[in-house]
């Protein structure tokens, strides 16, 4: 592993020589890993759909910092669900983070899309409030972390308090404040990333998610894009991988995570870029792969940034 750390620029780069097996890693491979069961779970019933979220708690008395873990899958049901995030969630638990791995309706489910998907993310996140006293969770140190489509939703969750009440996606007052974000290989600007995401996901998934094209509903696309609400006022680590490496070729370079971080810093936020394994979209989620250590480093840096605020 060749690692470069620039403290002043808050950038960290890891170039990992991935094996053939690692390059071929997919969500299904992570789903099949044996993982210790969650300590507890809660179910949110929404329009006939049961959204199950899982809590894992580290050893010790706490109070424990909390990571909200949001799965990806192109905002669609056919690609993935929270199961592939379990190895990461369990590894974070061993590293001292409580983890709350959430579910939400996707764009191809009844009630999903705009604003249902977004309201679900806020509502399932807020459910953890009920568990905080019993499991000694520190709700002043809450990180939102998500992979791929989940990276977008993690950033959006931090931006959510800035949404106008008239948006339709503004959560209730019980919404959980986010103190930092670690976005893993996903977009912060939907309009800029739209063309690339369509190629990568195999269709106009963002247009399905928002039931519109950018020109027809520009305000909706703005409300769904965390970049529209910069500065978010929280530290943001952007962990780049295989998907982000492909966006400049398939869409606008403005949609990349590096471009988002530049805009966030220009707006006054603390934001930095971490390049994990550019050969694959999933290796940084595999606790047995060297790229995962780069992700874990980013999580710890984001937690430390909360303490410095």
């Amino acid at each position: 592993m060749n690692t470069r750390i620039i403290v002043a620029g808050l950038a960290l780069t890891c170039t990992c020589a991935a094996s053939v097996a690692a390059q071929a890693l997919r969500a299904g491979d992570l789903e099949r890993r044996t993982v210790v069961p969650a300590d507890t779970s809660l179910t949110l019933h929404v329009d006939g759909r049961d959204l199950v979220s899982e809590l894992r708690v580290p050893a010790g008395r706490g109070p424990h910092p909390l990571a909200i873990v949001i799965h990806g899958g192109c905002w669609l049901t056919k690609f993935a669900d929270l199961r592939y995030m379990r190895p990461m969630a369990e590894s974070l638990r061993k590293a001292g983070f409580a983890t709350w791995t959430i579910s939400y309706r996707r764009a191809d489910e009844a009630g999903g899309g705009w604003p249902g998907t977004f309201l679900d993310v806020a509502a399932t996140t807020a459910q953890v409030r009920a568990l905080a006293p019993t499991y000694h969770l520190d709700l002043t140190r809450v990180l939102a972390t998500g992979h791929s489509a989940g990276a977008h939703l993690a950033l959006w969750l931090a931006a959510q308090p800035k949404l106008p009440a008239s948006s339709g996606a503004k959560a209730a007052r019980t919404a959980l404040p986010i103190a930092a974000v670690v976005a893993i290989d996903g977009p912060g600007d939907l309009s800029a990333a739209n063309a690339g995401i369509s190629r990568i996901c195999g269709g106009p998934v963002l247009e399905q998610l928002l039931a519109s094209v950018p020109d027809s509903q520009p305000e909706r696309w703005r409300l769904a894009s965390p970049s529209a609400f910069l500065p978010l006022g929280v530290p943001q680590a952007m962990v780049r991988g295989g998907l982000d490496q492909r966006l400049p070729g398939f869409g606008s370079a403005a949609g990349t995570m590096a471009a988002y971080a530049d805009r966030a810093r220009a707006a006054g936020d603390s934001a930095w870029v971490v390049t994990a394994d550019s050969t694959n979209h999933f290796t940084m989620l595999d606790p047995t792969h060297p790229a995962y250590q780069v992700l874990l480093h980013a999580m710890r840096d984001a937690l430390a940034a909360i303490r410095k605020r």
Side-chain angles (χ1 to χ4, degrees), residues 27 30-31 35 54 56 68-72 80-92 99 101-102 145-148 150-151 184 282 285 287 295:
L30 293 167
E31 288 177 7
V35 177
E54 301 176 343
R56 290 177 167 80
I68 308 299
V69 180
I70 309 176
H71 71 82
D81 57 33
L82 66 74
R83 290 175 295 170
Y84 84 97
M85 300 298 282
R86 284 171 175 162
M88 172 185 166
E90 174 60 16
S91 181
L92 288 176
T99 61
T101 309
I102 68 167
T145 185
H147 175 251
S148 194
I184 310 166
F282 293 95
L285 304 178
L295 171 59

PDB file of all heavy atoms in Angstrom, residues 27 30-31 35 54 56 68-72 80-92 99 101-102 145-148 150-151 184 282 285 287 295:
ATOM      1  N   ALA A  27     -21.699  -6.628  -4.126  1.00  0.00           N
ATOM      2  CA  ALA A  27     -22.531  -6.539  -2.931  1.00  0.00           C
ATOM      3  C   ALA A  27     -22.898  -7.925  -2.414  1.00  0.00           C
ATOM      4  O   ALA A  27     -22.903  -8.173  -1.208  1.00  0.00           O
ATOM      5  CB  ALA A  27     -23.783  -5.724  -3.226  1.00  0.00           C
ATOM      6  N   LEU A  30     -20.403  -9.531  -0.082  1.00  0.00           N
ATOM      7  CA  LEU A  30     -20.442  -9.007   1.280  1.00  0.00           C
ATOM      8  C   LEU A  30     -21.678  -9.486   2.024  1.00  0.00           C
ATOM      9  O   LEU A  30     -21.625  -9.750   3.232  1.00  0.00           O
ATOM     10  CB  LEU A  30     -20.397  -7.482   1.237  1.00  0.00           C
ATOM     11  CG  LEU A  30     -19.087  -6.878   0.725  1.00  0.00           C
ATOM     12  CD1 LEU A  30     -19.252  -5.393   0.432  1.00  0.00           C
ATOM     13  CD2 LEU A  30     -17.947  -7.108   1.720  1.00  0.00           C
ATOM     14  N   GLU A  31     -22.792  -9.628   1.319  1.00  0.00           N
ATOM     15  CA  GLU A  31     -24.017 -10.134   1.947  1.00  0.00           C
ATOM     16  C   GLU A  31     -23.822 -11.532   2.514  1.00  0.00           C
ATOM     17  O   GLU A  31     -24.421 -11.890   3.530  1.00  0.00           O
ATOM     18  CB  GLU A  31     -25.156 -10.174   0.931  1.00  0.00           C
ATOM     19  CG  GLU A  31     -25.708  -8.823   0.536  1.00  0.00           C
ATOM     20  CD  GLU A  31     -26.788  -8.953  -0.518  1.00  0.00           C
ATOM     21  OE1 GLU A  31     -27.184 -10.098  -0.835  1.00  0.00           O
ATOM     22  OE2 GLU A  31     -27.241  -7.913  -1.034  1.00  0.00           O
ATOM     23  N   VAL A  35     -21.664 -12.642   9.887  1.00  0.00           N
ATOM     24  CA  VAL A  35     -21.536 -11.472  10.742  1.00  0.00           C
ATOM     25  C   VAL A  35     -22.328 -11.702  12.019  1.00  0.00           C
ATOM     26  O   VAL A  35     -23.416 -12.288  11.992  1.00  0.00           O
ATOM     27  CB  VAL A  35     -22.065 -10.201  10.021  1.00  0.00           C
ATOM     28  CG1 VAL A  35     -21.999  -8.995  10.938  1.00  0.00           C
ATOM     29  CG2 VAL A  35     -21.266  -9.939   8.755  1.00  0.00           C
ATOM     30  N   GLU A  54     -30.961  -1.803  12.083  1.00  0.00           N
ATOM     31  CA  GLU A  54     -30.219  -2.629  13.030  1.00  0.00           C
ATOM     32  C   GLU A  54     -29.210  -1.811  13.834  1.00  0.00           C
ATOM     33  O   GLU A  54     -28.487  -0.983  13.277  1.00  0.00           O
ATOM     34  CB  GLU A  54     -29.455  -3.721  12.272  1.00  0.00           C
ATOM     35  CG  GLU A  54     -30.340  -4.636  11.453  1.00  0.00           C
ATOM     36  CD  GLU A  54     -29.566  -5.649  10.630  1.00  0.00           C
ATOM     37  OE1 GLU A  54     -28.340  -5.460  10.423  1.00  0.00           O
ATOM     38  OE2 GLU A  54     -30.182  -6.634  10.186  1.00  0.00           O
ATOM     39  N   ARG A  56     -25.878  -2.008  16.375  1.00  0.00           N
ATOM     40  CA  ARG A  56     -24.740  -2.738  16.940  1.00  0.00           C
ATOM     41  C   ARG A  56     -24.020  -1.808  17.902  1.00  0.00           C
ATOM     42  O   ARG A  56     -23.784  -0.646  17.583  1.00  0.00           O
ATOM     43  CB  ARG A  56     -23.797  -3.229  15.834  1.00  0.00           C
ATOM     44  CG  ARG A  56     -24.394  -4.357  14.997  1.00  0.00           C
ATOM     45  CD  ARG A  56     -23.472  -4.779  13.856  1.00  0.00           C
ATOM     46  NE  ARG A  56     -23.913  -6.024  13.263  1.00  0.00           N
ATOM     47  CZ  ARG A  56     -24.895  -6.145  12.376  1.00  0.00           C
ATOM     48  NH1 ARG A  56     -25.537  -5.054  11.956  1.00  0.00           N
ATOM     49  NH2 ARG A  56     -25.247  -7.323  11.903  1.00  0.00           N
ATOM     50  N   ILE A  68     -24.550   6.357  11.554  1.00  0.00           N
ATOM     51  CA  ILE A  68     -25.726   5.980  10.774  1.00  0.00           C
ATOM     52  C   ILE A  68     -25.212   5.385   9.472  1.00  0.00           C
ATOM     53  O   ILE A  68     -24.524   6.067   8.704  1.00  0.00           O
ATOM     54  CB  ILE A  68     -26.617   7.200  10.475  1.00  0.00           C
ATOM     55  CG1 ILE A  68     -26.941   7.980  11.766  1.00  0.00           C
ATOM     56  CG2 ILE A  68     -27.880   6.771   9.740  1.00  0.00           C
ATOM     57  CD1 ILE A  68     -27.694   7.198  12.793  1.00  0.00           C
ATOM     58  N   VAL A  69     -25.490   4.131   9.203  1.00  0.00           N
ATOM     59  CA  VAL A  69     -24.945   3.421   8.036  1.00  0.00           C
ATOM     60  C   VAL A  69     -26.053   3.253   6.998  1.00  0.00           C
ATOM     61  O   VAL A  69     -27.085   2.637   7.275  1.00  0.00           O
ATOM     62  CB  VAL A  69     -24.371   2.055   8.454  1.00  0.00           C
ATOM     63  CG1 VAL A  69     -23.815   1.312   7.242  1.00  0.00           C
ATOM     64  CG2 VAL A  69     -23.281   2.232   9.515  1.00  0.00           C
ATOM     65  N   ILE A  70     -25.826   3.790   5.782  1.00  0.00           N
ATOM     66  CA  ILE A  70     -26.861   3.823   4.748  1.00  0.00           C
ATOM     67  C   ILE A  70     -26.373   3.057   3.523  1.00  0.00           C
ATOM     68  O   ILE A  70     -25.354   3.409   2.911  1.00  0.00           O
ATOM     69  CB  ILE A  70     -27.218   5.265   4.363  1.00  0.00           C
ATOM     70  CG1 ILE A  70     -27.529   6.097   5.615  1.00  0.00           C
ATOM     71  CG2 ILE A  70     -28.398   5.292   3.401  1.00  0.00           C
ATOM     72  CD1 ILE A  70     -27.793   7.567   5.345  1.00  0.00           C
ATOM     73  N   HIS A  71     -27.107   2.024   3.158  1.00  0.00           N
ATOM     74  CA  HIS A  71     -26.711   1.203   2.006  1.00  0.00           C
ATOM     75  C   HIS A  71     -27.008   1.919   0.688  1.00  0.00           C
ATOM     76  O   HIS A  71     -27.792   2.863   0.615  1.00  0.00           O
ATOM     77  CB  HIS A  71     -27.428  -0.146   2.051  1.00  0.00           C
ATOM     78  CG  HIS A  71     -28.897  -0.087   1.756  1.00  0.00           C
ATOM     79  ND1 HIS A  71     -29.409  -0.048   0.479  1.00  0.00           N
ATOM     80  CD2 HIS A  71     -29.977  -0.056   2.579  1.00  0.00           C
ATOM     81  CE1 HIS A  71     -30.724  -0.008   0.516  1.00  0.00           C
ATOM     82  NE2 HIS A  71     -31.105  -0.004   1.789  1.00  0.00           N
ATOM     83  N   GLY A  72     -26.387   1.415  -0.361  1.00  0.00           N
ATOM     84  CA  GLY A  72     -26.622   1.927  -1.705  1.00  0.00           C
ATOM     85  C   GLY A  72     -27.406   0.950  -2.551  1.00  0.00           C
ATOM     86  O   GLY A  72     -28.243   0.206  -2.057  1.00  0.00           O
ATOM     87  N   ALA A  80     -29.325  -4.062  -4.203  1.00  0.00           N
ATOM     88  CA  ALA A  80     -28.759  -4.317  -2.875  1.00  0.00           C
ATOM     89  C   ALA A  80     -29.700  -3.818  -1.791  1.00  0.00           C
ATOM     90  O   ALA A  80     -30.638  -3.063  -2.058  1.00  0.00           O
ATOM     91  CB  ALA A  80     -27.399  -3.624  -2.738  1.00  0.00           C
ATOM     92  N   ASP A  81     -29.428  -4.261  -0.555  1.00  0.00           N
ATOM     93  CA  ASP A  81     -30.120  -3.734   0.626  1.00  0.00           C
ATOM     94  C   ASP A  81     -29.107  -3.660   1.757  1.00  0.00           C
ATOM     95  O   ASP A  81     -27.895  -3.773   1.519  1.00  0.00           O
ATOM     96  CB  ASP A  81     -31.345  -4.572   0.987  1.00  0.00           C
ATOM     97  CG  ASP A  81     -31.011  -6.043   1.218  1.00  0.00           C
ATOM     98  OD1 ASP A  81     -29.896  -6.336   1.713  1.00  0.00           O
ATOM     99  OD2 ASP A  81     -31.858  -6.898   0.922  1.00  0.00           O
ATOM    100  N   LEU A  82     -29.577  -3.488   2.975  1.00  0.00           N
ATOM    101  CA  LEU A  82     -28.636  -3.247   4.080  1.00  0.00           C
ATOM    102  C   LEU A  82     -27.714  -4.420   4.389  1.00  0.00           C
ATOM    103  O   LEU A  82     -26.700  -4.259   5.070  1.00  0.00           O
ATOM    104  CB  LEU A  82     -29.376  -2.811   5.339  1.00  0.00           C
ATOM    105  CG  LEU A  82     -30.330  -3.756   6.077  1.00  0.00           C
ATOM    106  CD1 LEU A  82     -29.605  -4.842   6.855  1.00  0.00           C
ATOM    107  CD2 LEU A  82     -31.177  -2.965   7.053  1.00  0.00           C
ATOM    108  N   ARG A  83     -28.015  -5.619   3.886  1.00  0.00           N
ATOM    109  CA  ARG A  83     -27.222  -6.792   4.247  1.00  0.00           C
ATOM    110  C   ARG A  83     -25.752  -6.649   3.862  1.00  0.00           C
ATOM    111  O   ARG A  83     -24.871  -7.122   4.573  1.00  0.00           O
ATOM    112  CB  ARG A  83     -27.810  -8.045   3.599  1.00  0.00           C
ATOM    113  CG  ARG A  83     -29.155  -8.477   4.176  1.00  0.00           C
ATOM    114  CD  ARG A  83     -29.720  -9.645   3.404  1.00  0.00           C
ATOM    115  NE  ARG A  83     -30.027  -9.266   2.018  1.00  0.00           N
ATOM    116  CZ  ARG A  83     -30.351 -10.132   1.062  1.00  0.00           C
ATOM    117  NH1 ARG A  83     -30.388 -11.429   1.318  1.00  0.00           N
ATOM    118  NH2 ARG A  83     -30.631  -9.695  -0.167  1.00  0.00           N
ATOM    119  N   TYR A  84     -25.467  -5.995   2.736  1.00  0.00           N
ATOM    120  CA  TYR A  84     -24.068  -5.923   2.314  1.00  0.00           C
ATOM    121  C   TYR A  84     -23.263  -4.927   3.152  1.00  0.00           C
ATOM    122  O   TYR A  84     -22.024  -4.919   3.097  1.00  0.00           O
ATOM    123  CB  TYR A  84     -23.959  -5.624   0.821  1.00  0.00           C
ATOM    124  CG  TYR A  84     -24.028  -4.168   0.393  1.00  0.00           C
ATOM    125  CD1 TYR A  84     -22.870  -3.436   0.148  1.00  0.00           C
ATOM    126  CD2 TYR A  84     -25.249  -3.534   0.178  1.00  0.00           C
ATOM    127  CE1 TYR A  84     -22.925  -2.122  -0.272  1.00  0.00           C
ATOM    128  CE2 TYR A  84     -25.313  -2.217  -0.247  1.00  0.00           C
ATOM    129  CZ  TYR A  84     -24.140  -1.508  -0.474  1.00  0.00           C
ATOM    130  OH  TYR A  84     -24.204  -0.200  -0.900  1.00  0.00           O
ATOM    131  N   MET A  85     -23.959  -4.109   3.950  1.00  0.00           N
ATOM    132  CA  MET A  85     -23.255  -3.172   4.835  1.00  0.00           C
ATOM    133  C   MET A  85     -22.963  -3.768   6.208  1.00  0.00           C
ATOM    134  O   MET A  85     -22.290  -3.150   7.030  1.00  0.00           O
ATOM    135  CB  MET A  85     -24.088  -1.903   5.001  1.00  0.00           C
ATOM    136  CG  MET A  85     -24.378  -1.151   3.710  1.00  0.00           C
ATOM    137  SD  MET A  85     -22.887  -0.541   2.882  1.00  0.00           S
ATOM    138  CE  MET A  85     -22.508   0.909   3.875  1.00  0.00           C
ATOM    139  N   ARG A  86     -23.453  -4.974   6.461  1.00  0.00           N
ATOM    140  CA  ARG A  86     -23.261  -5.562   7.789  1.00  0.00           C
ATOM    141  C   ARG A  86     -21.794  -5.810   8.143  1.00  0.00           C
ATOM    142  O   ARG A  86     -21.397  -5.557   9.299  1.00  0.00           O
ATOM    143  CB  ARG A  86     -24.065  -6.860   7.905  1.00  0.00           C
ATOM    144  CG  ARG A  86     -25.558  -6.621   8.096  1.00  0.00           C
ATOM    145  CD  ARG A  86     -26.346  -7.913   7.993  1.00  0.00           C
ATOM    146  NE  ARG A  86     -27.758  -7.708   8.288  1.00  0.00           N
ATOM    147  CZ  ARG A  86     -28.726  -8.556   7.942  1.00  0.00           C
ATOM    148  NH1 ARG A  86     -28.413  -9.682   7.293  1.00  0.00           N
ATOM    149  NH2 ARG A  86     -29.978  -8.302   8.240  1.00  0.00           N
ATOM    150  N   PRO A  87     -20.942  -6.317   7.233  1.00  0.00           N
ATOM    151  CA  PRO A  87     -19.534  -6.488   7.622  1.00  0.00           C
ATOM    152  C   PRO A  87     -18.880  -5.175   8.045  1.00  0.00           C
ATOM    153  O   PRO A  87     -18.136  -5.133   9.033  1.00  0.00           O
ATOM    154  CB  PRO A  87     -18.886  -7.060   6.352  1.00  0.00           C
ATOM    155  CG  PRO A  87     -20.005  -7.764   5.654  1.00  0.00           C
ATOM    156  CD  PRO A  87     -21.212  -6.914   5.895  1.00  0.00           C
ATOM    157  N   MET A  88     -19.170  -4.103   7.329  1.00  0.00           N
ATOM    158  CA  MET A  88     -18.640  -2.793   7.700  1.00  0.00           C
ATOM    159  C   MET A  88     -19.193  -2.356   9.053  1.00  0.00           C
ATOM    160  O   MET A  88     -18.450  -1.876   9.925  1.00  0.00           O
ATOM    161  CB  MET A  88     -18.985  -1.766   6.637  1.00  0.00           C
ATOM    162  CG  MET A  88     -18.639  -0.344   7.017  1.00  0.00           C
ATOM    163  SD  MET A  88     -19.211   0.837   5.772  1.00  0.00           S
ATOM    164  CE  MET A  88     -19.045   2.377   6.696  1.00  0.00           C
ATOM    165  N   ALA A  89     -20.506  -2.512   9.249  1.00  0.00           N
ATOM    166  CA  ALA A  89     -21.128  -2.097  10.513  1.00  0.00           C
ATOM    167  C   ALA A  89     -20.538  -2.861  11.691  1.00  0.00           C
ATOM    168  O   ALA A  89     -20.270  -2.285  12.750  1.00  0.00           O
ATOM    169  CB  ALA A  89     -22.641  -2.302  10.441  1.00  0.00           C
ATOM    170  N   GLU A  90     -20.312  -4.152  11.522  1.00  0.00           N
ATOM    171  CA  GLU A  90     -19.743  -4.954  12.598  1.00  0.00           C
ATOM    172  C   GLU A  90     -18.299  -4.546  12.875  1.00  0.00           C
ATOM    173  O   GLU A  90     -17.866  -4.467  14.028  1.00  0.00           O
ATOM    174  CB  GLU A  90     -19.826  -6.437  12.250  1.00  0.00           C
ATOM    175  CG  GLU A  90     -19.131  -7.378  13.222  1.00  0.00           C
ATOM    176  CD  GLU A  90     -19.684  -7.305  14.645  1.00  0.00           C
ATOM    177  OE1 GLU A  90     -20.797  -6.771  14.865  1.00  0.00           O
ATOM    178  OE2 GLU A  90     -18.983  -7.777  15.564  1.00  0.00           O
ATOM    179  N   SER A  91     -17.542  -4.266  11.816  1.00  0.00           N
ATOM    180  CA  SER A  91     -16.160  -3.841  12.008  1.00  0.00           C
ATOM    181  C   SER A  91     -16.094  -2.487  12.714  1.00  0.00           C
ATOM    182  O   SER A  91     -15.244  -2.266  13.581  1.00  0.00           O
ATOM    183  CB  SER A  91     -15.441  -3.758  10.662  1.00  0.00           C
ATOM    184  OG  SER A  91     -14.105  -3.361  10.840  1.00  0.00           O
ATOM    185  N   LEU A  92     -16.997  -1.580  12.363  1.00  0.00           N
ATOM    186  CA  LEU A  92     -17.040  -0.290  13.046  1.00  0.00           C
ATOM    187  C   LEU A  92     -17.396  -0.468  14.522  1.00  0.00           C
ATOM    188  O   LEU A  92     -16.871   0.244  15.391  1.00  0.00           O
ATOM    189  CB  LEU A  92     -18.051   0.634  12.365  1.00  0.00           C
ATOM    190  CG  LEU A  92     -17.661   1.190  11.000  1.00  0.00           C
ATOM    191  CD1 LEU A  92     -18.812   2.003  10.413  1.00  0.00           C
ATOM    192  CD2 LEU A  92     -16.403   2.046  11.092  1.00  0.00           C
ATOM    193  N   THR A  99     -23.361   1.416  15.644  1.00  0.00           N
ATOM    194  CA  THR A  99     -23.806   1.575  14.260  1.00  0.00           C
ATOM    195  C   THR A  99     -25.309   1.340  14.163  1.00  0.00           C
ATOM    196  O   THR A  99     -25.842   0.387  14.738  1.00  0.00           O
ATOM    197  CB  THR A  99     -23.071   0.629  13.299  1.00  0.00           C
ATOM    198  OG1 THR A  99     -23.328  -0.738  13.665  1.00  0.00           O
ATOM    199  CG2 THR A  99     -21.580   0.879  13.321  1.00  0.00           C
ATOM    200  N   THR A 101     -27.811   0.802  11.188  1.00  0.00           N
ATOM    201  CA  THR A 101     -27.884   0.527   9.751  1.00  0.00           C
ATOM    202  C   THR A 101     -29.342   0.578   9.327  1.00  0.00           C
ATOM    203  O   THR A 101     -30.148  -0.254   9.747  1.00  0.00           O
ATOM    204  CB  THR A 101     -27.271  -0.852   9.430  1.00  0.00           C
ATOM    205  OG1 THR A 101     -25.974  -0.940  10.031  1.00  0.00           O
ATOM    206  CG2 THR A 101     -27.155  -1.062   7.934  1.00  0.00           C
ATOM    207  N   ILE A 102     -29.673   1.559   8.505  1.00  0.00           N
ATOM    208  CA  ILE A 102     -31.084   1.860   8.252  1.00  0.00           C
ATOM    209  C   ILE A 102     -31.590   1.281   6.935  1.00  0.00           C
ATOM    210  O   ILE A 102     -30.826   0.926   6.041  1.00  0.00           O
ATOM    211  CB  ILE A 102     -31.334   3.382   8.273  1.00  0.00           C
ATOM    212  CG1 ILE A 102     -30.647   4.064   7.085  1.00  0.00           C
ATOM    213  CG2 ILE A 102     -30.884   3.985   9.596  1.00  0.00           C
ATOM    214  CD1 ILE A 102     -31.104   5.492   6.854  1.00  0.00           C
ATOM    215  N   THR A 145     -22.850   7.872   7.434  1.00  0.00           N
ATOM    216  CA  THR A 145     -21.974   7.308   6.411  1.00  0.00           C
ATOM    217  C   THR A 145     -22.799   6.427   5.492  1.00  0.00           C
ATOM    218  O   THR A 145     -23.685   5.697   5.944  1.00  0.00           O
ATOM    219  CB  THR A 145     -20.795   6.529   7.027  1.00  0.00           C
ATOM    220  OG1 THR A 145     -19.917   6.093   5.977  1.00  0.00           O
ATOM    221  CG2 THR A 145     -21.266   5.316   7.826  1.00  0.00           C
ATOM    222  N   GLY A 146     -22.536   6.535   4.202  1.00  0.00           N
ATOM    223  CA  GLY A 146     -23.291   5.745   3.246  1.00  0.00           C
ATOM    224  C   GLY A 146     -22.438   5.422   2.043  1.00  0.00           C
ATOM    225  O   GLY A 146     -21.442   6.105   1.757  1.00  0.00           O
ATOM    226  N   HIS A 147     -22.821   4.367   1.346  1.00  0.00           N
ATOM    227  CA  HIS A 147     -22.071   3.887   0.192  1.00  0.00           C
ATOM    228  C   HIS A 147     -22.885   4.072  -1.075  1.00  0.00           C
ATOM    229  O   HIS A 147     -24.070   3.737  -1.116  1.00  0.00           O
ATOM    230  CB  HIS A 147     -21.734   2.400   0.372  1.00  0.00           C
ATOM    231  CG  HIS A 147     -21.068   1.769  -0.811  1.00  0.00           C
ATOM    232  ND1 HIS A 147     -21.709   0.859  -1.619  1.00  0.00           N
ATOM    233  CD2 HIS A 147     -19.824   1.944  -1.335  1.00  0.00           C
ATOM    234  CE1 HIS A 147     -20.891   0.473  -2.577  1.00  0.00           C
ATOM    235  NE2 HIS A 147     -19.741   1.113  -2.421  1.00  0.00           N
ATOM    236  N   SER A 148     -22.280   4.646  -2.104  1.00  0.00           N
ATOM    237  CA  SER A 148     -22.910   4.792  -3.417  1.00  0.00           C
ATOM    238  C   SER A 148     -24.149   5.685  -3.312  1.00  0.00           C
ATOM    239  O   SER A 148     -24.039   6.838  -2.898  1.00  0.00           O
ATOM    240  CB  SER A 148     -23.236   3.393  -3.967  1.00  0.00           C
ATOM    241  OG  SER A 148     -23.536   3.431  -5.333  1.00  0.00           O
ATOM    242  N   GLY A 150     -26.201   5.503  -1.069  1.00  0.00           N
ATOM    243  CA  GLY A 150     -26.233   5.829   0.358  1.00  0.00           C
ATOM    244  C   GLY A 150     -25.330   6.983   0.727  1.00  0.00           C
ATOM    245  O   GLY A 150     -25.586   7.690   1.706  1.00  0.00           O
ATOM    246  N   ALA A 151     -24.252   7.207  -0.057  1.00  0.00           N
ATOM    247  CA  ALA A 151     -23.393   8.368   0.185  1.00  0.00           C
ATOM    248  C   ALA A 151     -24.163   9.652  -0.071  1.00  0.00           C
ATOM    249  O   ALA A 151     -24.087  10.613   0.703  1.00  0.00           O
ATOM    250  CB  ALA A 151     -22.156   8.303  -0.712  1.00  0.00           C
ATOM    251  N   ILE A 184     -19.166   7.556   0.905  1.00  0.00           N
ATOM    252  CA  ILE A 184     -18.323   6.544   0.271  1.00  0.00           C
ATOM    253  C   ILE A 184     -18.766   6.328  -1.176  1.00  0.00           C
ATOM    254  O   ILE A 184     -19.805   5.712  -1.452  1.00  0.00           O
ATOM    255  CB  ILE A 184     -18.398   5.205   1.042  1.00  0.00           C
ATOM    256  CG1 ILE A 184     -18.154   5.414   2.537  1.00  0.00           C
ATOM    257  CG2 ILE A 184     -17.387   4.204   0.478  1.00  0.00           C
ATOM    258  CD1 ILE A 184     -18.544   4.209   3.386  1.00  0.00           C
ATOM    259  N   PHE A 282     -16.553  -1.702  -4.242  1.00  0.00           N
ATOM    260  CA  PHE A 282     -16.942  -2.339  -2.986  1.00  0.00           C
ATOM    261  C   PHE A 282     -15.782  -2.681  -2.053  1.00  0.00           C
ATOM    262  O   PHE A 282     -16.015  -2.983  -0.886  1.00  0.00           O
ATOM    263  CB  PHE A 282     -17.724  -3.631  -3.271  1.00  0.00           C
ATOM    264  CG  PHE A 282     -19.048  -3.404  -3.918  1.00  0.00           C
ATOM    265  CD1 PHE A 282     -19.191  -3.466  -5.299  1.00  0.00           C
ATOM    266  CD2 PHE A 282     -20.177  -3.102  -3.162  1.00  0.00           C
ATOM    267  CE1 PHE A 282     -20.418  -3.239  -5.902  1.00  0.00           C
ATOM    268  CE2 PHE A 282     -21.405  -2.875  -3.747  1.00  0.00           C
ATOM    269  CZ  PHE A 282     -21.527  -2.937  -5.132  1.00  0.00           C
ATOM    270  N   LEU A 285     -15.369  -1.498   1.560  1.00  0.00           N
ATOM    271  CA  LEU A 285     -16.341  -1.979   2.547  1.00  0.00           C
ATOM    272  C   LEU A 285     -15.945  -3.320   3.142  1.00  0.00           C
ATOM    273  O   LEU A 285     -16.589  -3.797   4.078  1.00  0.00           O
ATOM    274  CB  LEU A 285     -17.722  -2.116   1.901  1.00  0.00           C
ATOM    275  CG  LEU A 285     -18.298  -0.875   1.222  1.00  0.00           C
ATOM    276  CD1 LEU A 285     -19.649  -1.208   0.596  1.00  0.00           C
ATOM    277  CD2 LEU A 285     -18.429   0.274   2.206  1.00  0.00           C
ATOM    278  N   PRO A 287     -13.775  -5.452   5.384  1.00  0.00           N
ATOM    279  CA  PRO A 287     -12.817  -5.277   6.485  1.00  0.00           C
ATOM    280  C   PRO A 287     -11.530  -6.065   6.332  1.00  0.00           C
ATOM    281  O   PRO A 287     -10.552  -5.771   7.024  1.00  0.00           O
ATOM    282  CB  PRO A 287     -13.611  -5.752   7.713  1.00  0.00           C
ATOM    283  CG  PRO A 287     -15.041  -5.529   7.349  1.00  0.00           C
ATOM    284  CD  PRO A 287     -15.110  -5.860   5.874  1.00  0.00           C
ATOM    285  N   LEU A 295     -10.799   3.719   4.794  1.00  0.00           N
ATOM    286  CA  LEU A 295     -12.142   4.136   5.184  1.00  0.00           C
ATOM    287  C   LEU A 295     -12.233   4.313   6.696  1.00  0.00           C
ATOM    288  O   LEU A 295     -12.792   5.304   7.189  1.00  0.00           O
ATOM    289  CB  LEU A 295     -13.165   3.105   4.702  1.00  0.00           C
ATOM    290  CG  LEU A 295     -14.600   3.274   5.222  1.00  0.00           C
ATOM    291  CD1 LEU A 295     -15.170   4.631   4.848  1.00  0.00           C
ATOM    292  CD2 LEU A 295     -15.485   2.149   4.687  1.00  0.00           C
TER     293      LEU A 295
END
